[in-house]
Amino acid sequence: MKQLISLIALIAITINLSAQKARNKYVVETKNNVMVFTGTIDGKFNFQYYGQKVNDVTQIVKSGIGLNEDAYPAFGLECTEEKALQVTHSDGNLSVDLYLKAVNVTKVDDNVTLTTVSLYDNKYPFNVTLFYKAFYKEDVIEAWTEITHQENLPVMLYKFASFAMPIRSFNAWVTHFHGNWSDEMGMVEEKLERGMQVIKNKEGVRNTQFDNPSIMISLDGKASENQGEVIAGTLVWTGNYRIKLDGNFKNQTNLIAGMNEDASNYLLEKNEVFKTPSFVLTYSNAGKGQASRNIIRWGRNYQIVDGNKERLIILNSWEGVYFDTEEKVMLEMINDIADMGGELFVMDDGWFANKYPRKNETTGLGDWDVNKQKLPNGLKPLIDRAKEKNIKFGIWLEPEMVNVKSDLFDKHPDWVVSQPNRTTILGRGGSQMTLDLANPKVQDHVYNIIHNLLVENQGIAYIKWDANHFISNVGSIALAANKQSHFYIEYQRGLHKVLERIRFTHPDLIMQACASGGGRATYDFMKYFHEFWGSDNTDALSRIFIQWGTSYFYPAINIASHVSKSPNHQTGRSYPHKFKFDVAMTGRLGIEMQPKDMTPNEYEFTKVGIQNYKRIRPVIQFGDLYRIVSPYDNFGMSALMYVSESKDKAVFFGFNLDKNLTYNFPPMKLNGLDSEKKYKITEINKEIQGTEKKKVKSRVSSDNGIFTGEYLSKIGIQINLREAYQSVVIEINEVKL
Ligand code: GLA
């Protein structure tokens, strides 16, 4: 017995020693954070830690606090837990067992480092490569995975996540952004319990209408804006997705994020490389605000088209005239937006189709020829007028869609997403279908439509690219019978090919992504698009909530935010013009109404407001966002501010949200300023009353005062918004005395 015990002890020591001896540590490092892995060549590659940096990272490994879980857990040996990868090999074997082959670190530039981890199965020619790209200054890591094999027959992939990571906490909460048409990006915060929480989409086309593929996990209770540990992540993908948070008895939640594998089994051919979308994440020990600012900095610097270029002030025709895009009316709108100081006019839906003219939502999609009745002289007069007025011209398209009543469908009924022997489910107007972008012929057609329109009408500077249908009747004639389940992925690949070509041939084209409002708010799409339409709901109060949620992951340059008519067309509610304008100013400002419907005062206010926006635009569009009072806290108000990177300028916005109550708000403590600097605070966008343009009393007690950053952040400013839907905009500029 004694001998047996010493033998066990000896074995234990040997295992321990060899583990200690051979386990290398691999660190993916950013300015304030580290992600730590351990591994041995021909041994396992394990995730240990993600969070704030310490001077000596070896302590994380030495101390044994690391999580020591497979960095990319695969199904088959351990079969009880949720996995990142699940396959069936060509011989029917259901398991994958991954070992480390090599870790390579490449310095891409002064700020970016790429760590590549090659893993192999020791019994099958099956390989997985994990990529971790670290953006040092932004404190962001972008992670993705490639899967390939050299088996003689195809391998079926059932699960193929982008990224997996265990998180340990007693009291973790997840914030996600749930919504609906007209009510996008509503913030929901839930405690992570044992069992699985899944955030997902299966719409095929507009994947952010119901839940954005973005989450914030706070590790120490509900997340707060400025305190606490938060991990934020977003999946760079516009197709179906799943973000799983699988909580278990170890006080551990396994985060697994990637494409939605549902109905998407993927038959991987020999040597084919399956590349997943990336998952972009950051860690903050200063609350959600910092996590949000990190992701947004990364977005502007590395992902969004022209991420550091100013966005123009737009008039969009939709809510002003809907389908009535007659030449005379369009010309008047161009004149008006130019007169108000705007910079771009967009002619929305209604301008196209002749065989089945686009009079309403039931006809014409797919036929992108200018409607001869509404625009007998084509687009030229509009483009010319815009040029003459020194503004840009843009146009609405829904390139992926077709109506039953269209010349395109008459000619190519087999180009729509449909199944043999089944009735196709129709969308908007009881008549809309999705074009089959898994089919290369359809990809070429869609590309050519846009390309030709731009070439034949020199001077179209902007496209609003809409997509108002989900995918039904999944399948494609372009895919083999055993690959029909690739459809969701192939649709996206086809769409991406079209977008790549357009960006390549038309690099200066400005593009807005729209999908029944905010259905395509993803970092995937922001590679091609400058912005997205935040929501079809233009009600200013609704927008305060929608834009609040959106602002956690996307900068103001992305969020198209327009002033519309009262009563609002979606909600029937009315607000003062100033309130609507001030709300729109917190994003990429635009107008979504017929300027002729404005009163003279509103028109005048708009002119002054546009001038103000131009002046403060760099701060709003490129500054850091600090949220001061959340509309979700039910205090009857909402406040936020943008601060320039060098902290010499800031803009504060405050809104009274409550219809029924009159409030005295406590002083607003500002955030993000430099406590050493002195600032002058000036209220702008003051209401204009009466024809004599009398200005109302300031709503800031200390208007025009000069204060230190320290005072403004510790004690604050008093704003007086005593009535419902009053608002205030304050310009804050450094003064050097
Ligand atoms: C969608 C968009 C709107 C508008 C209409 C036009 O609903 O979200 O902004 O462009 O289509 O039909």
mmCIF file of all heavy atoms in Angstrom, residues 181 184 206 209 316 318-319 322-323 348-350 352 358 360-361 365 396-398 428 432 464-468 512 514-519 533 535-538 570 592, ligand 1:
data_model
loop_
_atom_site.group_PDB
_atom_site.id
_atom_site.type_symbol
_atom_site.label_atom_id
_atom_site.label_comp_id
_atom_site.label_asym_id
_atom_site.label_seq_id
_atom_site.Cartn_x
_atom_site.Cartn_y
_atom_site.Cartn_z
ATOM 1 N N TRP A 181 -38.562 46.359 -35.399
ATOM 2 C CA TRP A 181 -38.672 47.446 -36.362
ATOM 3 C C TRP A 181 -39.165 48.690 -35.612
ATOM 4 O O TRP A 181 -40.074 48.610 -34.788
ATOM 5 C CB TRP A 181 -39.671 47.074 -37.478
ATOM 6 C CG TRP A 181 -39.913 48.225 -38.405
ATOM 7 C CD1 TRP A 181 -39.082 48.663 -39.395
ATOM 8 C CD2 TRP A 181 -41.036 49.105 -38.393
ATOM 9 N NE1 TRP A 181 -39.618 49.769 -39.998
ATOM 10 C CE2 TRP A 181 -40.823 50.065 -39.414
ATOM 11 C CE3 TRP A 181 -42.194 49.186 -37.628
ATOM 12 C CZ2 TRP A 181 -41.725 51.084 -39.685
ATOM 13 C CZ3 TRP A 181 -43.104 50.202 -37.893
ATOM 14 C CH2 TRP A 181 -42.868 51.145 -38.926
ATOM 15 N N GLU A 184 -35.286 49.813 -32.435
ATOM 16 C CA GLU A 184 -34.025 49.077 -32.436
ATOM 17 C C GLU A 184 -33.158 49.416 -31.218
ATOM 18 O O GLU A 184 -33.310 50.462 -30.604
ATOM 19 C CB GLU A 184 -33.219 49.424 -33.714
ATOM 20 C CG GLU A 184 -33.836 48.939 -35.018
ATOM 21 C CD GLU A 184 -34.836 49.916 -35.633
ATOM 22 O OE1 GLU A 184 -35.334 50.805 -34.913
ATOM 23 O OE2 GLU A 184 -35.105 49.799 -36.832
ATOM 24 N N ARG A 206 -31.159 41.080 -42.699
ATOM 25 C CA ARG A 206 -31.031 42.234 -41.788
ATOM 26 C C ARG A 206 -30.845 41.678 -40.374
ATOM 27 O O ARG A 206 -31.813 41.432 -39.662
ATOM 28 C CB ARG A 206 -32.238 43.159 -41.901
ATOM 29 C CG ARG A 206 -33.534 42.421 -41.920
ATOM 30 C CD ARG A 206 -34.748 43.298 -42.004
ATOM 31 N NE ARG A 206 -35.887 42.441 -41.734
ATOM 32 C CZ ARG A 206 -37.128 42.698 -42.106
ATOM 33 N NH1 ARG A 206 -37.397 43.794 -42.765
ATOM 34 N NH2 ARG A 206 -38.089 41.872 -41.817
ATOM 35 N N GLN A 209 -31.949 43.799 -36.681
ATOM 36 C CA GLN A 209 -33.235 44.433 -36.380
ATOM 37 C C GLN A 209 -33.753 44.003 -35.002
ATOM 38 O O GLN A 209 -34.362 44.794 -34.299
ATOM 39 C CB GLN A 209 -34.250 44.067 -37.452
ATOM 40 C CG GLN A 209 -35.413 45.016 -37.446
ATOM 41 C CD GLN A 209 -36.385 44.726 -38.571
ATOM 42 O OE1 GLN A 209 -36.694 43.592 -38.876
ATOM 43 N NE2 GLN A 209 -36.852 45.770 -39.205
ATOM 44 N N ASN A 316 -33.219 63.972 -46.636
ATOM 45 C CA ASN A 316 -33.718 62.768 -47.295
ATOM 46 C C ASN A 316 -35.201 62.965 -47.584
ATOM 47 O O ASN A 316 -35.957 63.423 -46.732
ATOM 48 C CB ASN A 316 -33.492 61.562 -46.375
ATOM 49 C CG ASN A 316 -33.955 60.270 -47.021
ATOM 50 O OD1 ASN A 316 -35.134 60.083 -47.279
ATOM 51 N ND2 ASN A 316 -33.041 59.378 -47.283
ATOM 52 N N TRP A 318 -37.742 60.894 -47.989
ATOM 53 C CA TRP A 318 -38.752 59.872 -47.682
ATOM 54 C C TRP A 318 -39.949 60.403 -46.894
ATOM 55 O O TRP A 318 -41.063 60.435 -47.382
ATOM 56 C CB TRP A 318 -38.077 58.687 -46.988
ATOM 57 C CG TRP A 318 -39.039 57.578 -46.638
ATOM 58 C CD1 TRP A 318 -39.307 57.094 -45.399
ATOM 59 C CD2 TRP A 318 -39.854 56.801 -47.538
ATOM 60 N NE1 TRP A 318 -40.223 56.080 -45.456
ATOM 61 C CE2 TRP A 318 -40.591 55.881 -46.766
ATOM 62 C CE3 TRP A 318 -40.059 56.804 -48.929
ATOM 63 C CZ2 TRP A 318 -41.493 54.976 -47.315
ATOM 64 C CZ3 TRP A 318 -40.961 55.891 -49.490
ATOM 65 C CH2 TRP A 318 -41.666 55.004 -48.684
ATOM 66 N N GLU A 319 -39.749 60.829 -45.675
ATOM 67 C CA GLU A 319 -40.919 61.230 -44.882
ATOM 68 C C GLU A 319 -41.533 62.539 -45.372
ATOM 69 O O GLU A 319 -42.658 62.871 -45.002
ATOM 70 C CB GLU A 319 -40.550 61.330 -43.398
ATOM 71 C CG GLU A 319 -40.429 59.967 -42.766
ATOM 72 C CD GLU A 319 -40.434 60.017 -41.240
ATOM 73 O OE1 GLU A 319 -41.002 60.949 -40.658
ATOM 74 O OE2 GLU A 319 -39.829 59.110 -40.650
ATOM 75 N N TYR A 322 -42.642 60.804 -49.475
ATOM 76 C CA TYR A 322 -42.781 59.356 -49.740
ATOM 77 C C TYR A 322 -42.526 59.043 -51.214
ATOM 78 O O TYR A 322 -41.483 59.409 -51.712
ATOM 79 C CB TYR A 322 -44.125 58.833 -49.201
ATOM 80 C CG TYR A 322 -44.127 58.882 -47.670
ATOM 81 C CD1 TYR A 322 -44.787 59.893 -46.967
ATOM 82 C CD2 TYR A 322 -43.404 57.931 -46.950
ATOM 83 C CE1 TYR A 322 -44.750 59.945 -45.581
ATOM 84 C CE2 TYR A 322 -43.358 57.976 -45.553
ATOM 85 C CZ TYR A 322 -44.026 58.987 -44.874
ATOM 86 O OH TYR A 322 -43.961 59.031 -43.511
ATOM 87 N N PHE A 323 -43.483 58.371 -51.893
ATOM 88 C CA PHE A 323 -43.193 57.905 -53.262
ATOM 89 C C PHE A 323 -43.321 59.015 -54.321
ATOM 90 O O PHE A 323 -43.062 58.778 -55.490
ATOM 91 C CB PHE A 323 -44.133 56.747 -53.631
ATOM 92 C CG PHE A 323 -43.889 55.502 -52.816
ATOM 93 C CD1 PHE A 323 -44.649 55.217 -51.691
ATOM 94 C CD2 PHE A 323 -42.876 54.603 -53.159
ATOM 95 C CE1 PHE A 323 -44.421 54.077 -50.931
ATOM 96 C CE2 PHE A 323 -42.635 53.460 -52.410
ATOM 97 C CZ PHE A 323 -43.406 53.193 -51.289
ATOM 98 N N ASP A 348 -35.215 59.430 -52.092
ATOM 99 C CA ASP A 348 -35.502 58.092 -51.560
ATOM 100 C C ASP A 348 -36.376 57.302 -52.540
ATOM 101 O O ASP A 348 -36.484 57.645 -53.723
ATOM 102 C CB ASP A 348 -36.153 58.249 -50.165
ATOM 103 C CG ASP A 348 -35.876 57.075 -49.244
ATOM 104 O OD1 ASP A 348 -36.495 56.019 -49.448
ATOM 105 O OD2 ASP A 348 -35.037 57.204 -48.325
ATOM 106 N N ASP A 349 -37.010 56.283 -52.050
ATOM 107 C CA ASP A 349 -37.853 55.361 -52.817
ATOM 108 C C ASP A 349 -38.864 56.115 -53.687
ATOM 109 O O ASP A 349 -39.348 57.189 -53.311
ATOM 110 C CB ASP A 349 -38.592 54.487 -51.789
ATOM 111 C CG ASP A 349 -39.180 53.246 -52.400
ATOM 112 O OD1 ASP A 349 -39.135 53.101 -53.630
ATOM 113 O OD2 ASP A 349 -39.679 52.416 -51.625
ATOM 114 N N GLY A 350 -39.191 55.530 -54.859
ATOM 115 C CA GLY A 350 -40.270 56.078 -55.681
ATOM 116 C C GLY A 350 -39.836 56.522 -57.067
ATOM 117 O O GLY A 350 -40.673 56.721 -57.942
ATOM 118 N N PHE A 352 -38.199 55.099 -59.632
ATOM 119 C CA PHE A 352 -37.795 54.143 -60.672
ATOM 120 C C PHE A 352 -38.970 53.307 -61.197
ATOM 121 O O PHE A 352 -40.071 53.362 -60.660
ATOM 122 C CB PHE A 352 -36.722 53.212 -60.110
ATOM 123 C CG PHE A 352 -37.151 52.562 -58.810
ATOM 124 C CD1 PHE A 352 -37.810 51.336 -58.808
ATOM 125 C CD2 PHE A 352 -36.950 53.203 -57.606
ATOM 126 C CE1 PHE A 352 -38.239 50.757 -57.621
ATOM 127 C CE2 PHE A 352 -37.385 52.636 -56.409
ATOM 128 C CZ PHE A 352 -38.031 51.415 -56.426
ATOM 129 N N ARG A 358 -43.173 52.406 -59.864
ATOM 130 C CA ARG A 358 -43.080 52.360 -58.401
ATOM 131 C C ARG A 358 -43.973 53.442 -57.804
ATOM 132 O O ARG A 358 -43.503 54.568 -57.507
ATOM 133 C CB ARG A 358 -41.614 52.568 -57.996
ATOM 134 C CG ARG A 358 -41.347 52.499 -56.502
ATOM 135 C CD ARG A 358 -41.367 51.101 -55.974
ATOM 136 N NE ARG A 358 -40.871 51.025 -54.606
ATOM 137 C CZ ARG A 358 -40.977 49.942 -53.849
ATOM 138 N NH1 ARG A 358 -41.543 48.830 -54.313
ATOM 139 N NH2 ARG A 358 -40.502 49.944 -52.621
ATOM 140 N N ASN A 360 -46.102 52.616 -55.174
ATOM 141 C CA ASN A 360 -46.174 52.249 -53.760
ATOM 142 C C ASN A 360 -45.248 51.054 -53.543
ATOM 143 O O ASN A 360 -44.501 50.684 -54.458
ATOM 144 C CB ASN A 360 -47.622 51.944 -53.344
ATOM 145 C CG ASN A 360 -48.231 50.876 -54.243
ATOM 146 O OD1 ASN A 360 -47.574 49.884 -54.555
ATOM 147 N ND2 ASN A 360 -49.455 51.101 -54.691
ATOM 148 N N GLU A 361 -45.349 50.406 -52.407
ATOM 149 C CA GLU A 361 -44.354 49.378 -52.081
ATOM 150 C C GLU A 361 -44.604 48.039 -52.780
ATOM 151 O O GLU A 361 -43.834 47.094 -52.576
ATOM 152 C CB GLU A 361 -44.309 49.187 -50.560
ATOM 153 C CG GLU A 361 -45.621 48.748 -49.958
ATOM 154 C CD GLU A 361 -45.619 48.743 -48.441
ATOM 155 O OE1 GLU A 361 -44.784 49.423 -47.829
ATOM 156 O OE2 GLU A 361 -46.465 48.025 -47.880
ATOM 157 N N LEU A 365 -39.621 46.983 -57.699
ATOM 158 C CA LEU A 365 -38.270 46.700 -57.183
ATOM 159 C C LEU A 365 -37.552 45.766 -58.143
ATOM 160 O O LEU A 365 -38.117 44.742 -58.544
ATOM 161 C CB LEU A 365 -38.334 46.019 -55.817
ATOM 162 C CG LEU A 365 -38.638 46.868 -54.600
ATOM 163 C CD1 LEU A 365 -38.600 45.997 -53.353
ATOM 164 C CD2 LEU A 365 -37.649 48.020 -54.472
ATOM 165 N N TRP A 396 -31.761 56.403 -53.508
ATOM 166 C CA TRP A 396 -32.148 55.185 -52.780
ATOM 167 C C TRP A 396 -32.168 53.985 -53.717
ATOM 168 O O TRP A 396 -32.638 54.083 -54.859
ATOM 169 C CB TRP A 396 -33.542 55.403 -52.204
ATOM 170 C CG TRP A 396 -34.122 54.267 -51.395
ATOM 171 C CD1 TRP A 396 -34.023 54.100 -50.049
ATOM 172 C CD2 TRP A 396 -34.947 53.188 -51.865
ATOM 173 N NE1 TRP A 396 -34.723 52.973 -49.655
ATOM 174 C CE2 TRP A 396 -35.302 52.393 -50.760
ATOM 175 C CE3 TRP A 396 -35.412 52.804 -53.128
ATOM 176 C CZ2 TRP A 396 -36.099 51.256 -50.848
ATOM 177 C CZ3 TRP A 396 -36.209 51.664 -53.228
ATOM 178 C CH2 TRP A 396 -36.546 50.907 -52.099
ATOM 179 N N LEU A 397 -31.661 52.857 -53.244
ATOM 180 C CA LEU A 397 -31.726 51.601 -53.996
ATOM 181 C C LEU A 397 -32.011 50.465 -53.016
ATOM 182 O O LEU A 397 -31.621 50.528 -51.853
ATOM 183 C CB LEU A 397 -30.378 51.301 -54.657
ATOM 184 C CG LEU A 397 -29.902 52.081 -55.870
ATOM 185 C CD1 LEU A 397 -28.435 51.765 -56.137
ATOM 186 C CD2 LEU A 397 -30.724 51.731 -57.102
ATOM 187 N N GLU A 398 -32.632 49.425 -53.539
ATOM 188 C CA GLU A 398 -32.791 48.214 -52.723
ATOM 189 C C GLU A 398 -32.285 47.044 -53.567
ATOM 190 O O GLU A 398 -33.066 46.209 -54.048
ATOM 191 C CB GLU A 398 -34.257 48.053 -52.304
ATOM 192 C CG GLU A 398 -34.384 47.167 -51.091
ATOM 193 C CD GLU A 398 -35.802 47.058 -50.551
ATOM 194 O OE1 GLU A 398 -36.686 47.820 -50.989
ATOM 195 O OE2 GLU A 398 -36.022 46.198 -49.683
ATOM 196 N N ARG A 428 -42.668 42.593 -47.761
ATOM 197 C CA ARG A 428 -43.296 43.923 -47.778
ATOM 198 C C ARG A 428 -44.273 44.088 -48.952
ATOM 199 O O ARG A 428 -43.956 43.727 -50.083
ATOM 200 C CB ARG A 428 -42.180 44.963 -47.890
ATOM 201 C CG ARG A 428 -42.637 46.376 -47.706
ATOM 202 C CD ARG A 428 -41.459 47.316 -47.876
ATOM 203 N NE ARG A 428 -41.860 48.677 -47.563
ATOM 204 C CZ ARG A 428 -41.186 49.753 -47.937
ATOM 205 N NH1 ARG A 428 -40.066 49.642 -48.615
ATOM 206 N NH2 ARG A 428 -41.608 50.947 -47.607
ATOM 207 N N GLN A 432 -42.785 41.244 -52.056
ATOM 208 C CA GLN A 432 -41.328 41.385 -52.139
ATOM 209 C C GLN A 432 -40.602 40.055 -51.917
ATOM 210 O O GLN A 432 -40.970 39.269 -51.045
ATOM 211 C CB GLN A 432 -40.865 42.422 -51.111
ATOM 212 C CG GLN A 432 -39.403 42.780 -51.259
ATOM 213 C CD GLN A 432 -39.059 44.108 -50.600
ATOM 214 O OE1 GLN A 432 -39.905 45.003 -50.529
ATOM 215 N NE2 GLN A 432 -37.845 44.232 -50.118
ATOM 216 N N LYS A 464 -28.252 55.228 -50.682
ATOM 217 C CA LYS A 464 -28.889 54.621 -49.503
ATOM 218 C C LYS A 464 -29.278 53.212 -49.938
ATOM 219 O O LYS A 464 -30.151 53.032 -50.781
ATOM 220 C CB LYS A 464 -30.124 55.434 -49.093
ATOM 221 C CG LYS A 464 -30.933 54.792 -47.965
ATOM 222 C CD LYS A 464 -32.088 55.701 -47.538
ATOM 223 C CE LYS A 464 -32.975 55.045 -46.504
ATOM 224 N NZ LYS A 464 -34.093 55.903 -46.090
ATOM 225 N N TRP A 465 -28.598 52.221 -49.393
ATOM 226 C CA TRP A 465 -28.768 50.815 -49.821
ATOM 227 C C TRP A 465 -29.706 50.143 -48.824
ATOM 228 O O TRP A 465 -29.313 49.844 -47.708
ATOM 229 C CB TRP A 465 -27.393 50.158 -49.846
ATOM 230 C CG TRP A 465 -27.346 48.715 -50.233
ATOM 231 C CD1 TRP A 465 -28.093 47.683 -49.748
ATOM 232 C CD2 TRP A 465 -26.464 48.125 -51.198
ATOM 233 N NE1 TRP A 465 -27.743 46.499 -50.339
ATOM 234 C CE2 TRP A 465 -26.740 46.744 -51.235
ATOM 235 C CE3 TRP A 465 -25.455 48.631 -52.024
ATOM 236 C CZ2 TRP A 465 -26.039 45.859 -52.061
ATOM 237 C CZ3 TRP A 465 -24.765 47.737 -52.840
ATOM 238 C CH2 TRP A 465 -25.064 46.370 -52.858
ATOM 239 N N ASP A 466 -30.915 49.894 -49.253
ATOM 240 C CA ASP A 466 -31.939 49.369 -48.345
ATOM 241 C C ASP A 466 -32.089 47.860 -48.520
ATOM 242 O O ASP A 466 -31.664 47.287 -49.539
ATOM 243 C CB ASP A 466 -33.271 50.081 -48.665
ATOM 244 C CG ASP A 466 -34.126 50.274 -47.423
ATOM 245 O OD1 ASP A 466 -33.966 49.494 -46.460
ATOM 246 O OD2 ASP A 466 -34.967 51.187 -47.421
ATOM 247 N N ALA A 467 -32.717 47.209 -47.577
ATOM 248 C CA ALA A 467 -33.010 45.765 -47.649
ATOM 249 C C ALA A 467 -34.180 45.502 -46.704
ATOM 250 O O ALA A 467 -33.987 45.409 -45.502
ATOM 251 C CB ALA A 467 -31.789 44.957 -47.239
ATOM 252 N N ASN A 468 -35.370 45.407 -47.274
ATOM 253 C CA ASN A 468 -36.570 45.364 -46.432
ATOM 254 C C ASN A 468 -37.224 43.990 -46.347
ATOM 255 O O ASN A 468 -38.413 43.883 -46.094
ATOM 256 C CB ASN A 468 -37.596 46.374 -46.954
ATOM 257 C CG ASN A 468 -37.140 47.800 -46.704
ATOM 258 O OD1 ASN A 468 -36.784 48.154 -45.592
ATOM 259 N ND2 ASN A 468 -37.104 48.610 -47.749
ATOM 260 N N GLN A 512 -24.965 54.502 -47.353
ATOM 261 C CA GLN A 512 -25.694 54.277 -46.105
ATOM 262 C C GLN A 512 -26.320 52.886 -46.143
ATOM 263 O O GLN A 512 -26.942 52.510 -47.133
ATOM 264 C CB GLN A 512 -26.822 55.301 -45.931
ATOM 265 C CG GLN A 512 -27.594 55.077 -44.637
ATOM 266 C CD GLN A 512 -28.856 55.924 -44.513
ATOM 267 O OE1 GLN A 512 -29.903 55.606 -45.066
ATOM 268 N NE2 GLN A 512 -28.739 57.027 -43.805
ATOM 269 N N CYS A 514 -29.186 50.516 -44.867
ATOM 270 C CA CYS A 514 -30.503 50.609 -44.245
ATOM 271 C C CYS A 514 -31.139 49.241 -44.426
ATOM 272 O O CYS A 514 -30.922 48.578 -45.434
ATOM 273 C CB CYS A 514 -31.304 51.696 -44.969
ATOM 274 S SG CYS A 514 -32.987 51.859 -44.378
ATOM 275 N N ALA A 515 -31.886 48.783 -43.460
ATOM 276 C CA ALA A 515 -32.624 47.536 -43.622
ATOM 277 C C ALA A 515 -33.870 47.671 -42.757
ATOM 278 O O ALA A 515 -33.832 47.375 -41.572
ATOM 279 C CB ALA A 515 -31.773 46.340 -43.213
ATOM 280 N N SER A 516 -34.907 48.207 -43.346
ATOM 281 C CA SER A 516 -36.128 48.544 -42.594
ATOM 282 C C SER A 516 -35.742 49.364 -41.376
ATOM 283 O O SER A 516 -36.179 49.096 -40.261
ATOM 284 C CB SER A 516 -36.864 47.286 -42.158
ATOM 285 O OG SER A 516 -36.946 46.364 -43.200
ATOM 286 N N GLY A 517 -34.876 50.329 -41.556
ATOM 287 C CA GLY A 517 -34.334 51.104 -40.440
ATOM 288 C C GLY A 517 -32.987 50.527 -40.049
ATOM 289 O O GLY A 517 -32.127 50.294 -40.890
ATOM 290 N N GLY A 518 -32.831 50.245 -38.757
ATOM 291 C CA GLY A 518 -31.513 49.861 -38.239
ATOM 292 C C GLY A 518 -31.188 48.386 -38.327
ATOM 293 O O GLY A 518 -30.507 47.849 -37.455
ATOM 294 N N GLY A 519 -31.619 47.715 -39.384
ATOM 295 C CA GLY A 519 -31.422 46.264 -39.477
ATOM 296 C C GLY A 519 -30.042 45.822 -39.904
ATOM 297 O O GLY A 519 -29.771 44.620 -39.986
ATOM 298 N N TRP A 533 -28.910 53.837 -41.272
ATOM 299 C CA TRP A 533 -30.127 54.541 -40.867
ATOM 300 C C TRP A 533 -30.521 53.940 -39.520
ATOM 301 O O TRP A 533 -30.789 52.736 -39.430
ATOM 302 C CB TRP A 533 -31.192 54.353 -41.935
ATOM 303 C CG TRP A 533 -32.525 55.009 -41.729
ATOM 304 C CD1 TRP A 533 -33.734 54.464 -42.017
ATOM 305 C CD2 TRP A 533 -32.790 56.336 -41.252
ATOM 306 N NE1 TRP A 533 -34.734 55.367 -41.743
ATOM 307 C CE2 TRP A 533 -34.176 56.522 -41.263
ATOM 308 C CE3 TRP A 533 -31.980 57.389 -40.797
ATOM 309 C CZ2 TRP A 533 -34.793 57.707 -40.846
ATOM 310 C CZ3 TRP A 533 -32.579 58.564 -40.365
ATOM 311 C CH2 TRP A 533 -33.970 58.711 -40.402
ATOM 312 N N SER A 535 -33.062 54.062 -37.492
ATOM 313 C CA SER A 535 -34.378 53.454 -37.301
ATOM 314 C C SER A 535 -35.366 54.155 -38.212
ATOM 315 O O SER A 535 -35.205 55.344 -38.502
ATOM 316 C CB SER A 535 -34.829 53.649 -35.852
ATOM 317 O OG SER A 535 -36.150 53.178 -35.687
ATOM 318 N N ASP A 536 -36.403 53.449 -38.629
ATOM 319 C CA ASP A 536 -37.497 54.117 -39.346
ATOM 320 C C ASP A 536 -38.310 54.977 -38.393
ATOM 321 O O ASP A 536 -39.144 55.762 -38.832
ATOM 322 C CB ASP A 536 -38.425 53.079 -39.996
ATOM 323 C CG ASP A 536 -37.929 52.688 -41.377
ATOM 324 O OD1 ASP A 536 -36.962 53.298 -41.861
ATOM 325 O OD2 ASP A 536 -38.505 51.759 -41.967
ATOM 326 N N ASN A 537 -38.094 54.798 -37.118
ATOM 327 C CA ASN A 537 -38.778 55.630 -36.137
ATOM 328 C C ASN A 537 -37.973 56.923 -35.962
ATOM 329 O O ASN A 537 -36.859 56.913 -35.429
ATOM 330 C CB ASN A 537 -38.873 54.873 -34.811
ATOM 331 C CG ASN A 537 -39.709 55.619 -33.797
ATOM 332 O OD1 ASN A 537 -40.032 56.788 -34.002
ATOM 333 N ND2 ASN A 537 -40.050 54.953 -32.713
ATOM 334 N N THR A 538 -38.555 58.044 -36.428
ATOM 335 C CA THR A 538 -37.843 59.322 -36.320
ATOM 336 C C THR A 538 -38.377 60.165 -35.168
ATOM 337 O O THR A 538 -38.033 61.344 -35.043
ATOM 338 C CB THR A 538 -37.983 60.133 -37.630
ATOM 339 O OG1 THR A 538 -39.376 60.276 -37.914
ATOM 340 C CG2 THR A 538 -37.288 59.454 -38.794
ATOM 341 N N GLN A 570 -44.549 57.938 -37.204
ATOM 342 C CA GLN A 570 -44.590 56.590 -36.628
ATOM 343 C C GLN A 570 -45.360 56.560 -35.315
ATOM 344 O O GLN A 570 -46.047 55.592 -35.016
ATOM 345 C CB GLN A 570 -43.170 56.054 -36.371
ATOM 346 C CG GLN A 570 -42.412 55.668 -37.625
ATOM 347 C CD GLN A 570 -41.903 56.880 -38.380
ATOM 348 O OE1 GLN A 570 -41.523 57.889 -37.792
ATOM 349 N NE2 GLN A 570 -41.910 56.790 -39.694
ATOM 350 N N GLU A 592 -35.522 64.934 -42.382
ATOM 351 C CA GLU A 592 -36.354 63.896 -42.998
ATOM 352 C C GLU A 592 -37.781 64.444 -43.109
ATOM 353 O O GLU A 592 -38.734 63.852 -42.622
ATOM 354 C CB GLU A 592 -36.298 62.643 -42.115
ATOM 355 C CG GLU A 592 -37.009 61.415 -42.652
ATOM 356 C CD GLU A 592 -36.184 60.560 -43.581
ATOM 357 O OE1 GLU A 592 -34.935 60.703 -43.596
ATOM 358 O OE2 GLU A 592 -36.780 59.747 -44.298
HETATM 359 C C1 GLA B 1 -37.450 51.448 -45.673
HETATM 360 C C2 GLA B 1 -36.459 52.444 -45.113
HETATM 361 C C3 GLA B 1 -37.036 53.829 -45.161
HETATM 362 C C4 GLA B 1 -37.418 54.181 -46.583
HETATM 363 C C5 GLA B 1 -38.355 53.129 -47.139
HETATM 364 C C6 GLA B 1 -38.616 53.350 -48.601
HETATM 365 O O1 GLA B 1 -38.530 51.301 -44.837
HETATM 366 O O2 GLA B 1 -36.081 52.089 -43.823
HETATM 367 O O3 GLA B 1 -36.132 54.778 -44.670
HETATM 368 O O4 GLA B 1 -36.261 54.285 -47.367
HETATM 369 O O5 GLA B 1 -37.838 51.818 -46.969
HETATM 370 O O6 GLA B 1 -39.495 52.436 -49.107
#
